[in-house]
Amino acid sequence: MKIVKIIGGLGNQMFQYALAIALKKNFTKEEVKLDIHCFNGYTKHEGFEIDNVFGNQLELASYSDITKVAYPYFNFQLWRIGSRILPDRRHMISEDTSFKIMPEVIASPNYKYYDGYWQHEEYFYDIHDDILATFKFKEFKDKRNKDLADRLTDINSISIHIRRGDYINDKLFKGTCGIEYYKNAIDEINKRTVPTLFCIFSNDIIWCKKNIGPLLNGKEAIYVDWNTGSDYFRDMQLMAKCKHCIIANSSFSWWGAWLNNNNDKIVIAPRTWYNTNEKVSPATNDWLKL
């Protein structure tokens, strides 16, 4: 049996879930389950979202399952404390604090418990098509999103994702992806293609209208501000419909770009993903880093 812990927002959950799918492909005779118990008492984001957004294909681990390989944390706070003071058990694989790629993660047989974010496509690159099929969005139900999605597919559209809010004062991300990055990214996009429309996604649309708008040189822009609450994942779905992507240092827009099926897509990502040189960026090798 292999158990993958799921925690974080939708983007992080997708990385963890992709690892679980890769493990299931690599070890066809072993059970692969998900540990979602840390969502008890977890107040960020929308809880376990994979089921609601994509439909969960994997079985959930019980406390009995977890006890065999790891510590059975009953809620998020216990995990936060325990993960800092308790040593890994023999069957646990915890992600390196540098977030470097750990090839042994998808090669280790027998009982294992995986605790980490695993934000690298190398863990599931060999099953690219399976991951695309796994993360297939449900059809839009509302006319506004459907009409915009159709338009984004038909024209030379550029998605721009700006994450502010919790990132403004976060020690790991503060100051890493400022206005200069977006200015350079927009200039680079204009050198490489002729945009028809810029589609802006953010948790601070007012700031974007004031600061990103002037950088677009009069080109048409749509500021997507209507996908709120449990429907916020629709922003990622729309990002994936655009022809090209300018992403933030965010797992949310990472997946918006990765799920984009345009064979000629240009993806621009920040060269500085974290506010430290001690951690490895998840940006893929074929993306342009600025």
Side-chain angles (χ1 to χ4, degrees):
M1 181 186 297
K2 297 183 180 299
I3 300 174
V4 178
K5 182 173 71 64
I6 308 292
I7 196 64
L10 179 60
N12 286 333
Q13 292 180 41
M14 290 169 71
F15 276 112
Q16 294 157 350
Y17 198 83
L19 174 66
I21 295 298
L23 292 171
K24 194 170 182 63
K25 287 286 182 179
N26 286 354
F27 300 95
T28 57
K29 295 182 179 180
E30 292 191 44
E31 290 183 286
V32 177
K33 297 184 179 183
L34 309 177
D35 176 10
I36 67 169
H37 291 98
C38 274
F39 286 110
N40 295 329
Y42 186 71
T43 58
K44 298 179 180 179
H45 311 294
E46 299 290 328
F48 179 58
E49 299 180 74
I50 295 294
D51 197 21
N52 175 55
V53 178
F54 303 109
N56 176 28
Q57 307 169 18
L58 301 175
E59 187 176 345
L60 302 182
S62 67
Y63 285 123
S64 177
D65 293 329
I66 297 166
T67 301
K68 297 173 183 177
V69 290
Y71 303 106
Y73 296 117
F74 297 98
N75 58 49
F76 177 67
Q77 292 303 327
L78 285 176
W79 170 75
R80 286 190 69 187
I81 297 170
S83 62
R84 295 172 183 174
I85 64 175
L86 294 175
D88 281 359
R89 289 177 57 183
R90 182 164 58 92
H91 295 293
M92 293 176 65
I93 298 180
S94 292
E95 186 173 29
D96 190 270
T97 56
S98 70
F99 300 154
K100 70 179 182 179
I101 299 169
M102 300 168 60
E104 67 272 20
V105 166
I106 56 174
S108 298
N110 305 321
Y111 268 87
K112 286 292 181 293
Y113 182 93
Y114 301 84
D115 189 351
Y117 291 107
W118 320 113
Q119 295 178 334
H120 293 288
E121 71 167 354
E122 282 80 0
Y123 291 124
F124 49 85
Y125 186 82
D126 291 341
I127 57 166
H128 179 275
D129 291 343
D130 294 281
I131 299 302
L132 287 177
T134 297
F135 295 144
K136 186 176 182 180
F137 291 99
K138 300 173 184 177
E139 294 295 325
F140 289 115
K141 295 180 179 179
D142 63 296
K143 186 175 186 301
R144 191 175 193 180
N145 275 325
K146 185 178 185 305
D147 288 349
L148 178 56
D150 290 342
R151 189 179 179 207
L152 293 174
T153 303
D154 291 339
I155 61 177
N156 198 28
S157 53
I158 316 293
S159 74
I160 304 179
H161 182 224
I162 301 95
R163 181 164 176 177
R164 287 175 53 78
D166 58 334
Y167 267 31
I168 295 176
N169 296 313
D170 190 301
K171 291 182 180 179
L172 196 57
F173 298 103
K174 182 179 180 180
T176 54
C177 202
I179 192 66
E180 193 65 23
Y181 161 69
Y182 287 103
K183 180 182 183 302
N184 293 337
I186 292 167
D187 288 346
E188 190 65 33
I189 279 287
N190 284 322
K191 291 177 185 176
R192 292 171 176 263
T193 189
V194 181
T196 305
L197 170 71
F198 287 95
C199 202
I200 318 298
F201 304 89
S202 179
N203 55 356
D204 193 346
I205 289 294
I206 293 175
W207 184 92
C208 293
K209 288 180 178 179
K210 180 180 179 180
N211 293 277
I212 301 298
L215 303 178
L216 304 180
N217 297 319
K219 292 287 181 69
E220 184 183 0
I222 293 177
Y223 296 85
V224 180
D225 60 0
W226 55 85
N227 292 317
T228 59
S230 60
D231 286 331
Y232 84 101
F233 72 89
R234 296 295 188 181
D235 279 7
M236 184 191 294
Q237 188 173 2
L238 290 171
M239 289 180 198
K241 294 287 186 180
C242 293
K243 296 294 185 184
H244 311 289
C245 306
I246 296 173
I247 71 171
N249 49 347
S250 163
S251 59
F252 189 86
S253 53
W254 189 102
W255 280 105
W258 197 88
L259 294 174
N260 185 312
N261 274 328
N262 177 20
N263 292 329
D264 301 316
K265 69 183 177 184
I266 301 165
V267 178
I268 298 179
R271 184 180 302 278
T272 302
W273 196 277
Y274 299 108
N275 203 8
T276 172
N277 293 325
E278 297 177 357
K279 296 188 184 296
V280 179
S281 169
T284 70
N285 293 331
D286 57 336
W287 292 354
L288 178 63
K289 289 91 170 176
L290 295 179

